[in-house]
Amino acid sequence: MASLSLSLNKNPNPPVTGLFPKQDNLNRLATKTSAISLNKPFSSKKLENEKTTIMFTRSSVSSTTSTHDYRKSDAVLSHDHPHPHHHNHHHVDEATLLLQNEEDERPLREIWREIQGSNDWEGLVDPLNSCLRREIIRYGEFAQACYDSFDFDPNSKYCGTCKYPGAHFFEKLEMADRGYKISRYLYATSNINLPNFFQRSKMSSVWSQHANWMGYVAVSTDEDEIRRLGRRDIVIAWRGTVTYLEWICDLKDILRSADFGPDPTVKIESGFYDLYTKKERGCKYCSFSAREQVLAEIKRLLDYYEGEEISITVTGHSLGSALAILSAYDMAEVGLNVVASGKKVPITVYSFAGPRVGNLKFKGRCDELGIKVLRVVNVHDVVPTVPGIIANEKRQFQKYIEETMSFPWSYAHVGVELRLDQSHSPFLKPTKDPGCAHNLEVHLHLVDGYHGKGKRFCLETKRDIALVNKNCDLLRSEYGVPSQWRQDENKGMVRNTDGRWVLPERPRLEGHPPDMAEHLEKVLMIKRNSNSNGGVHGTSSPGLEAS
């Protein structure tokens, strides 16, 4: 995998249709979760002691709007103002009230630990800290990159893999200025019981019969970015699904022991476990499990940058969020983030629209290990309400039910929740489409405009609202943005030397790097040392072998 194992020099140059699920299945699922209020908006209480500025704007949102330059003054519609398309023809031609949260002027390098959750984001979520907002969006865009680069087309022989080679990944996605480089791609076997999650090619000759591309590991390499961050950052981004939601109907609510640590009562959902730990020895992309791939790569990077200030940030959307939390727990449980000096490298998860992953004991163990999880959810999205409809963290007697009754379907969310509501954005139209409520770009749009409970929706960054319709249809029609607009030019077809339009060949996909077994053996050594010190019982670990 030489093409992906990029040279990570210490001082490198800067790197440069939707088919939604069967409605009846999701309607039944939504009915089962009716006990959770998904439609109750935040109160619009009169704001006191807030800095306000009167901004004058001429027809900033009109029925003929075609520009996508939506600055703060253009986004001052609040939840309690009439929307521009209402039949009373109320327009926003008058002065409008712009609520401005006080900007956090402190440089990120001075407060990065706080922003990464060292104090569980106390005082940063409500009202939403401006620095934290930018970081949530930045890591959300790392997760979105998994969708924008994934080949969903069943007519392509590359269906199920990444469209771009690692050396050009961020460049192709217009993210070359982020200061990160890909260090390796992650794969998982598709031969597990999540049939509506994996993408397969209809062609007989394909890149792999058994694997799907699941995301990537990247590391900050640009010196200016490292100074801005205050540390070298390792990012793990996991892919979810943008085209189907039916995989949530395939969750069997079956909990099983995680087997990564000493306590067998720490349990996770079996489908997530299989996705993370299973392998196909005959497939060069899945001869190592997704778990082995990520642990070995993180160990390699921590050894390479030994002595530096480092953070590990894991991000994912939808099912990718479940993998993000699971892999963060795994790294901490194995002790991978404890470096030679004995210092702990902080592990933070930015989760978007994620389901519950494990039981109450799993949540408790994540808290004990110091894993920091910030969960961004849309109250209209059904995915964060599953599994665990009967017994979950919202139920008063969950601990009693789980421990005393040994109830096998008890689930609990991990971490701090940032709860958003799409009905508060004046840019979005009313819809009951579950895919729109679950869409990652919609979540990032809501983060951009959210200031706190009861506060007005106001876009804080220059993030284009057209991105909302990249993979869905949720923007109001007056903005003139087509739905589902993102695709490769000519759907990837190019004209060859004979004048025929063809799908071009892609560079040969590499399997695992030759030194992977070596770094995996180091992970096993950490585990064995922990065993000998009484930290972890047992001698084997699922999906973790050096051979």
Side-chain angles (χ1 to χ4, degrees):
M1 174 146 169
S3 64
L4 290 182
S5 298
L6 304 179
S7 175
L8 298 174
N9 295 326
K10 299 265 182 167
N11 296 291
N13 293 324
V16 283
T17 37
L19 291 177
F20 288 110
K22 296 174 183 176
Q23 194 68 38
D24 57 343
N25 286 349
L26 285 178
N27 286 343
R28 285 196 294 271
L29 185 60
T31 300
K32 290 168 72 178
T33 60
S34 60
I36 302 174
S37 176
L38 298 180
N39 297 311
K40 183 178 180 181
F42 295 130
S43 62
S44 298
K45 296 179 180 177
K46 184 175 179 181
L47 302 175
E48 299 177 352
N49 302 322
E50 292 289 347
K51 288 187 176 181
T52 59
T53 303
I54 299 295
M55 300 293 294
F56 293 89
T57 173
R58 178 182 300 172
S59 238
S60 62
V61 183
S62 70
S63 60
T64 57
T65 301
S66 60
T67 178
H68 298 152
D69 184 16
Y70 303 105
R71 294 173 289 275
K72 278 187 182 182
S73 58
D74 299 317
V76 297
L77 288 172
S78 71
H79 178 62
D80 52 0
H81 281 160
H83 290 302
H85 83 304
H86 281 186
H87 295 300
N88 61 8
H89 300 292
H90 180 98
H91 294 285
V92 194
D93 296 322
E94 309 88 24
T96 52
L97 186 64
L98 174 61
L99 172 67
Q100 291 184 318
N101 274 15
E102 191 168 329
E103 181 78 11
D104 191 337
E105 300 290 350
R106 296 174 295 173
L108 179 58
R109 63 179 176 273
E110 294 180 5
I111 59 171
W112 71 266
R113 290 183 180 276
E114 184 181 353
I115 296 298
Q116 290 288 99
S118 62
N119 297 321
D120 295 314
W121 295 283
E122 185 176 353
L124 299 179
V125 172
D126 187 18
L128 185 59
N129 176 273
S130 58
C131 188
L132 177 58
R133 179 198 317 279
R134 289 189 291 269
E135 288 300 277
I136 293 172
I137 292 175
R138 189 171 71 92
Y139 286 113
E141 289 175 343
F142 279 124
Q144 180 65 41
C146 292
Y147 292 134
D148 294 343
S149 61
F150 186 65
D151 192 338
F152 287 94
D153 186 359
N155 297 309
S156 166
K157 69 178 181 180
Y158 299 105
C159 179
T161 189
C162 183
K163 297 175 183 177
Y164 312 121
H168 304 291
F169 181 84
F170 291 119
E171 176 187 351
K172 291 289 188 180
L173 295 170
E174 299 182 352
M175 297 173 68
D177 60 345
R178 302 302 171 91
Y180 286 71
K181 284 186 177 179
I182 297 290
S183 68
R184 74 156 291 133
Y185 283 164
L186 302 171
Y187 299 90
T189 177
S190 56
N191 295 342
I192 64 172
N193 189 29
L194 282 173
N196 290 308
F197 176 71
F198 295 103
Q199 302 295 312
R200 296 180 185 272
S201 175
K202 294 179 179 178
M203 303 178 69
S204 57
S205 176
V206 297
W207 70 283
S208 172
Q209 296 282 359
H210 305 287
N212 257 211
W213 183 79
M214 290 303 304
Y216 59 89
V217 180
V219 61
S220 56
T221 55
D222 177 64
E223 292 302 319
D224 289 339
E225 178 66 1
I226 292 169
R227 280 191 292 272
R228 187 188 76 83
L229 295 173
R231 82 282 186 188
R232 190 181 296 276
D233 186 38
I234 299 172
V235 169
I236 306 167
W238 292 101
R239 177 180 71 81
T241 177
V242 73
T243 55
Y244 288 99
L245 289 185
E246 278 194 334
W247 61 269
I248 65 174
C249 297
D250 294 318
L251 297 181
K252 302 299 188 277
D253 279 4
I254 299 174
L255 284 160
R256 59 146 299 148
S257 294
D259 293 337
F260 302 161
D263 188 352
T265 65
V266 173
K267 297 182 178 181
I268 57 177
E269 198 277 331
S270 60
F272 304 152
Y273 175 92
D274 289 343
L275 181 57
Y276 187 57
T277 62
K278 298 298 183 184
K279 64 180 76 178
E280 285 288 332
R281 296 192 181 277
C283 174
K284 68 177 182 178
Y285 305 102
C286 297
S287 56
F288 290 95
S289 67
R291 182 193 185 202
E292 291 172 333
Q293 294 167 47
V294 72
L295 292 182
E297 183 60 17
I298 297 304
K299 177 58 180 170
R300 184 180 78 86
L301 292 173
L302 291 177
D303 286 350
Y304 189 84
Y305 293 113
E306 184 179 355
E308 296 189 23
E309 192 78 72
I310 298 174
S311 64
I312 299 173
T313 310
V314 199
T315 186
H317 168 258
S318 188
L319 195 146
S321 164
L323 289 173
I325 293 173
L326 183 52
S327 55
Y329 158 70
D330 189 16
M331 286 184 285
E333 187 70 271
V334 171
L336 187 60
N337 63 323
V338 181
V339 294
S341 64
K343 185 177 179 181
K344 270 192 176 183
V345 173
I347 300 175
T348 302
V349 178
Y350 287 94
S351 155
F352 298 88
R356 296 184 180 94
V357 177
N359 63 355
L360 198 59
K361 285 290 188 71
F362 174 78
K363 167 184 164 52
R365 184 56 179 160
C366 287
D367 293 341
E368 288 176 12
L369 292 169
I371 301 162
K372 303 303 179 179
V373 180
L374 184 61
R375 296 187 301 104
V376 181
V377 302
N378 179 356
V379 298
H380 298 274
D381 182 16
V382 71
V383 173
T385 70
V386 297
I389 293 174
I390 299 174
N392 58 58
E393 75 286 347
K394 298 180 184 293
R395 306 300 182 186
Q396 184 177 0
F397 302 107
Q398 184 187 15
K399 186 174 182 181
Y400 174 82
I401 291 173
E402 184 174 310
E403 295 182 355
T404 307
M405 300 176 61
S406 300
F407 189 71
W409 303 291
S410 173
Y411 283 83
H413 273 306
V414 178
V416 175
E417 181 178 80
L418 175 56
R419 192 171 175 84
L420 308 171
D421 188 337
Q422 70 189 50
S423 69
H424 290 181
S425 170
F427 298 103
L428 307 182
K429 62 187 179 184
T431 181
K432 294 183 179 179
D433 186 336
C436 290
H438 187 59
N439 188 277
L440 176 53
E441 286 287 2
V442 173
H443 283 70
L444 300 184
H445 168 72
L446 297 178
V447 171
D448 195 4
Y450 176 77
H451 292 268
K453 293 179 181 178
K455 296 187 177 183
R456 299 170 186 252
F457 189 96
C458 171
L459 296 180
E460 279 293 309
T461 75
K462 294 181 179 179
R463 203 163 193 280
D464 195 341
I465 67 166
L467 294 170
V468 169
N469 269 14
K470 182 191 289 185
N471 300 114
C472 72
D473 182 16
L474 194 54
L475 280 178
R476 294 182 178 275
S477 59
E478 53 263 33
Y479 298 115
V481 179
S483 64
Q484 309 278 352
W485 57 259
R486 191 185 193 280
Q487 64 179 24
D488 293 333
E489 185 177 7
N490 298 320
K491 294 191 175 181
M493 296 284 283
V494 298
R495 195 188 295 270
N496 66 12
T497 54
D498 298 329
R500 297 178 58 205
W501 286 92
V502 297
L503 281 172
E505 294 293 326
R506 294 180 188 166
R508 185 171 64 91
L509 298 170
E510 299 289 346
H512 303 300
D515 61 349
M516 185 168 171
E518 173 189 342
H519 294 291
L520 196 56
E521 176 59 37
K522 293 180 180 178
V523 176
L524 288 168
M525 191 177 300
I526 295 173
K527 193 170 179 61
R528 283 194 291 268
N529 290 339
S530 180
N531 289 346
S532 62
N533 293 328
V536 178
H537 305 295
T539 57
S540 62
S541 189
L544 194 59
E545 300 174 16
S547 57

